[in-house]
């Protein structure tokens, strides 16, 4: 599989994928259907508890790999199975090729195995003269097309029935009808003789149960049963991470895997193989069976305090199912061998940083993958860490280095913003930058960009600071850079809502940007410096709450700072105190101040809502904003896919504007379809994206921050 050599080439590939109308329609249809199917499949179950149990069991197994491998080997070999240990991909390929040679194999059939894809097994075997046939329908299709899978569970989801009909017509030398059932029958007719003729079957495995020496295989087509039973030789290939101490733990994985992968309560076929089975084609009447365990860096990952969690992955593919970027461009542009968020991480370890360096930049940090992961893997954090490591290995870019230097120096940063306010005068009008230089405006024409405000919030604060006698709460207000210098009216609105309700507000002048932009650009050292700067400015000992109106800032202050400084002995206590007091605006007004309908005017007009990624997933806040809109006398009209990313993602929208534009267009279409007058959200970054998009298209819909709409309604 070819890899783009730089970001420019990679963006060209992304644009090509965006032009594939069928791909986008197919991904859209699947993404929407998947969410409903998954929710139905897990209905009535303690999903959080189940995920925690899977994570704990997988983590425990990862720390005992050598012990579990030895025990499994003893059990399996007692049942007549030969167990091999391959340290590298090449070693695994050579072991399997040697098994084929030893047994006089000519033809091989395979069931779907991502581990086999990982080591390029087909290429190795075919290079040694063996005929290899994939028997999973999707895998067979992409094998015939000489391409890799675009999804770990549904490898050919990117292809239409018309493309498959043309392919099958070419293979069979007969014109095939564009009918899915008939095409499946064609595949069955073509593949059945391959099973009969095959000398060896190669399968993967979803688990290797140590207490019994058995392997478990989960499929939906039944081809794996034919692959593992008809040929006289069976080779099962799997990673060391598939070692499962007990059958009970294996069954626990089985409860989450099909539900999380496809929304099924259980897959069509669950096959358990324990030892050599009867086989008339074999000289002694018993199957010749080998199991090959692959390390390929897994034992090293198990010892890594951060990345060991990737070994929890059950290969359900759900992180791709919910990813807004994958949904636009598919797996051939959002993965190498492994697809989706987990693929961005595994590519670096299994296939090298040259394959990963562009992919890891294409994460919008929406958190959807983490929220859906069946094993609780913190995928966004790991992706950002991979990006940072690649920068450390290959060199930091000039823009990211410059941004890091600026954000570390608050006075310099704010001076530059004040200077930019003056410099924008010739090109700004009506609150927007109308004529950006091409250097800055390139590919940004899908939205209008806001001008820097005439006065930042910090300059307004001394005049509007409210005096509160006998306050119930001492509150430190964190504005972030966007609400301080671009949208100060949002903070002013918040003051008007909060101040009269018993909260004494304070706005420390030494605060600055939260630091998330430099985290997204891989500048972790600068991010730590910025975090320390803000904790000093908003000393948590002074406040009951640290309030912010930016969902992205809130999530980063609450969770990101702990990751940056939690292991630093000098900061561990202070950063925990700080994080514990961070709260978003909607939660503060709804849950702390407990405003009721009596606090608001009635009949405020119709609104719809966009749930910022870092609010609904990063902080788990879902009900408070919607309850507040109803309490405030607003006619709330839910829109489709309210919790799907708007496409901003901070620096993401500048780096990948073509993807940002598509996500924005879909979000605005859903909002406008409600007929609401106003689109409300809880994040200034989302306001910038949504308002800019509506301004560009000349829509009559208006965008307001939650603070603004509540201030409009407050009595």
């Amino acid at each position: 599989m070819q890899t783009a050599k730089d970001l420019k080439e990679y963006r060209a590939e992304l644009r090509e994928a965006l032009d594939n109308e069928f791909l986008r329609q197919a991904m859209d249809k699947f993404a929407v259907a998947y969410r409903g199917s998954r929710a139905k499949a897990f209905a009535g179950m303690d999903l959080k508890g189940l995920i925690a149990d899977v994570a704990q069991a997988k983590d425990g197994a990862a720390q005992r790999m050598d012990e579990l491998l030895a025990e499994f080997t003893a059990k399996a070999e007692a049942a007549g199975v030969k167990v091999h240990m391959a340290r590298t991909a090449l070693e695994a390929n050579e072991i399997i090729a040697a098994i084929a040679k030893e047994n006089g194999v000519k033809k091989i059939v395979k069931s779907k195995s991502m581990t086999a894809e990982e080591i390029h097994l087909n290429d190795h075997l075919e290079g040694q003269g063996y005929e290899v046939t994939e028997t999973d329908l999707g895998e067979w299709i992409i094998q015939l097309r000489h391409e890799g899978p675009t999804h770990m569970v549904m490898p050919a989801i990117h292809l239409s029935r018309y493309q498959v009909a043309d392919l099958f017509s070419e293979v069979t030398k007969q014109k095939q009808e564009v009918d899915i059932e008939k095409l499946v029958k064609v595949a069955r007719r073509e593949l059945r003789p391959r099973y009969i003729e095959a000398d060896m079957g190669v399968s993967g495995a979803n688990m290797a149960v140590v207490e019994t020496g058995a392997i478990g295989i989960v499929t939906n087509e039944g081809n794996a049963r034919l692959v593992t039973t008809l040929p006289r030789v069976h080779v099962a290939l799997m990673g060391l991470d598939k070692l499962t101490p007990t059958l009970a733990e294996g069954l626990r994985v089985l409860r989450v895997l099909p539900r999380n992968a496809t929304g099924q309560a259980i897959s069509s076929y669950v096959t358990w193989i324990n030892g050599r089975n009867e086989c008339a084609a074999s000289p002694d009447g018993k199957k010749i069976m080998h199991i090959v365990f692959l390390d390929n860096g897994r034992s090293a990952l198990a010892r890594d305090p951060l990345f060991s969690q990737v070994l929890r992955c059950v290969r359900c593919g759900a992180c791709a199912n919910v990813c807004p970027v994958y949904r636009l461009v598919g797996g051939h542009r959002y993965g190498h061998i492994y697809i989706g968020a987990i693929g961005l991480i595994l590519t670096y370890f299994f296939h090298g940083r040259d394959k990963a360096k562009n992919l890891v930049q294409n994460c919008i940090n929406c958190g959807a993958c983490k929220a859906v992961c069946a094993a609780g893997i913190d995928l966004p954090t790991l992706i950002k860490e991979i990006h940072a490591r690649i920068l450390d290995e290959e060199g930091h870019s000039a823009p990211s280095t410059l941004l890091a230097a600026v954000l570390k120096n608050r006075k310099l940063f704010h001076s530059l913003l004040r200077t930019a306010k003056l410099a924008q005068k010739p090109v700004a009008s009506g609150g927007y930058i109308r004529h950006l230089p091409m250097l800055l405006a390139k590919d940004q024409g899908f939205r209008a960009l806001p001008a820097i405000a005439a006065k930042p919030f910090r300059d307004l604060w001394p005049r509007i600071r409210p005096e509160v006698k006998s306050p119930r709460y001492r509150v430190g207000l964190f504005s972030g850079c966007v609400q301080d210098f671009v949208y100060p009216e949002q903070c002013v609105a918040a003051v008007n809502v909060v101040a009269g309700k018993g909260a004494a507000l304070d706005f420390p002048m030494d605060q600055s940007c939260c630091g998330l932009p430099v985290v997204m650009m891989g500048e972790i050292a600068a991010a730590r410096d910025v975090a320390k700067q803000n904790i000093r400015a908003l000393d948590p000992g002074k406040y009951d709450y640290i309030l912010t109106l930016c969902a992205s800032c809130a999530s980063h202050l609450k969770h990101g700072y702990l990751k940056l400084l939690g292991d630093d002995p000098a900061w561990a206590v202070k950063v925990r105190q700080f994080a514990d007091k961070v709260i978003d605006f909607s939660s503060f007004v709804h849950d702390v101040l407990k405003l009721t309908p009596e606090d608001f005017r009635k009949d405020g007009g119709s609104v719809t809502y966009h749930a910022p990624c870092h609010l609904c997933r990063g902080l788990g806040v879902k009900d408070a904003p919607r309850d507040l809109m109803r309490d405030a006398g607003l006619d709330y009209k839910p829109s489709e896919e309210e919790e799907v990313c708007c496409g901003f993602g901070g620096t993401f929208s500048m780096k990948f504007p073509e993807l940002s534009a598509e996500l924005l267009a879909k979000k605005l279409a859903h909002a406008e379809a409600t007929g609401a007058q106003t689109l409300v959200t809880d994040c200034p970054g989302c306001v910038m994206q949504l308002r800019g998009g509506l301004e560009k298209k000349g829509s009559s819909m208006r965008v307001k921050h939650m603070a603004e709409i509540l201030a409009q309604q407050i009595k």
Side-chain angles (χ1 to χ4, degrees), residues 428-455:
S429 64
Y432 294 96
I433 302 292
R434 298 296 181 183
H435 308 289
L436 267 175
M438 278 306 295
L439 177 65
L440 300 176
K442 185 174 174 57
D443 300 322
Q444 294 294 316
F446 64 93
R447 65 183 175 192
L449 293 173
I452 294 174
K455 278 191 174 184

Side-chain angles (χ1 to χ4, degrees), residues 663-673 679 690 693-694 697:
L663 292 170
L664 174 60
K666 192 172 298 182
K667 174 61 66 172
L668 295 181
H670 288 325
E672 290 182 302
L679 174 55
L690 300 168
L694 290 169
K697 66 185 296 190

Side-chain angles (χ1 to χ4, degrees), residues 296-441:
N296 202 28
R298 287 167 172 81
S299 58
L301 279 171
R303 294 189 293 271
D304 188 289
L306 178 62
F307 284 98
S308 60
Q309 61 185 293
V310 302
L311 298 177
R312 301 175 191 165
C313 179
V314 299
R315 305 293 191 265
C316 65
C319 56
N321 297 351
V322 298
C323 174
V325 177
Y326 172 86
R327 182 172 168 179
L328 288 177
V329 300
H332 290 155
R333 297 294 173 259
Y334 203 65
H336 178 62
I337 298 299
Y338 289 102
I339 307 303
I342 191 69
L344 306 192
I345 300 161
L346 294 181
T347 296
Y348 172 80
F349 290 109
F350 292 163
H351 299 108
R353 67 172 179 266
D354 63 313
K355 305 292 193 301
K357 64 182 181 181
N358 295 318
L359 298 176
V360 293
Q361 297 182 67
N362 198 7
C363 169
I364 201 167
N365 195 37
C366 69
C369 54
K370 178 182 177 181
V372 81
C373 180
I377 304 171
D378 189 355
L379 293 159
T381 292
L382 299 186
I383 292 168
K384 290 193 284 286
E385 177 63 23
I386 292 291
H387 185 201
R389 290 189 181 189
I390 291 173
L391 289 177
D392 288 342
E393 292 164 5
E394 294 203 339
H396 293 237
S397 68
S400 68
T401 302
L402 180 60
L403 180 61
V406 169
L407 287 193
K408 286 196 300 183
N409 187 328
R410 182 195 66 79
K411 291 182 178 179
L412 172 62
F413 177 45
H414 289 170
S415 294
L416 289 173
L417 288 173
R418 292 180 186 277
T419 302
K421 178 192 71 176
L422 300 174
Q424 74 184 2
K425 285 186 176 180
V427 294
S429 64
Y432 294 96
I433 302 292
R434 298 296 181 183
H435 308 289
L436 267 175
M438 278 306 295
L439 177 65
L440 300 176

Side-chain angles (χ1 to χ4, degrees), residues 398-601:
S400 68
T401 302
L402 180 60
L403 180 61
V406 169
L407 287 193
K408 286 196 300 183
N409 187 328
R410 182 195 66 79
K411 291 182 178 179
L412 172 62
F413 177 45
H414 289 170
S415 294
L416 289 173
L417 288 173
R418 292 180 186 277
T419 302
K421 178 192 71 176
L422 300 174
Q424 74 184 2
K425 285 186 176 180
V427 294
S429 64
Y432 294 96
I433 302 292
R434 298 296 181 183
H435 308 289
L436 267 175
M438 278 306 295
L439 177 65
L440 300 176
K442 185 174 174 57
D443 300 322
Q444 294 294 316
F446 64 93
R447 65 183 175 192
L449 293 173
I452 294 174
K455 278 191 174 184
F457 179 72
R458 62 183 51 243
D459 289 357
L460 300 174
W461 176 248
R463 180 173 56 83
I464 69 168
R465 179 173 185 165
E467 292 294 331
V468 180
K469 295 180 179 179
S470 303
R472 289 185 292 160
Y473 309 109
R474 298 166 302 155
V475 180
L477 179 59
F478 181 85
S479 68
C481 45
V482 176
Q483 283 171 323
D484 194 351
F485 285 87
V486 180
Y487 298 127
E489 66 274 11
Q490 295 175 8
C491 287
V492 172
V495 171
N496 292 335
V497 172
V498 169
K501 305 301 178 182
L505 290 170
D506 183 32
F507 183 80
M509 293 295 169
D510 286 342
Q511 63 176 283
S512 187
C513 173
C514 69
L516 183 58
V518 281
V519 172
M520 291 298 293
M521 297 186 78
E523 299 290 343
I524 303 302
R528 290 193 183 98
D529 288 341
V530 172
K532 293 174 185 177
Q533 177 177 284
N534 283 321
I535 295 172
R536 289 191 192 101
L538 288 112
D539 185 343
K542 294 174 58 178
Y543 306 112
D544 299 308
Y545 293 97
I546 296 170
L547 172 65
T548 179
L549 285 70
C550 175
S552 298
C553 290
S555 181
H556 186 53
L557 296 174
K558 197 169 191 68
H559 303 307
Y561 279 20
L562 285 171
K563 293 169 184 173
L564 291 169
L565 299 175
D567 293 331
D568 185 336
W571 286 90
V573 174
K574 210 67 168 175
V575 72
R576 169 59 68 182
Q577 292 174 320
F578 182 90
D580 286 346
K581 293 184 177 181
V582 170
I583 191 168
D584 68 280
F585 178 76
S586 284
S587 295
F588 183 71
V589 174
H590 184 267
D591 302 335
V592 178
L593 298 184
K594 300 185 184 303
L595 299 194
T596 67
E598 286 67 39
D599 293 302
F600 298 99
R601 292 192 289 269

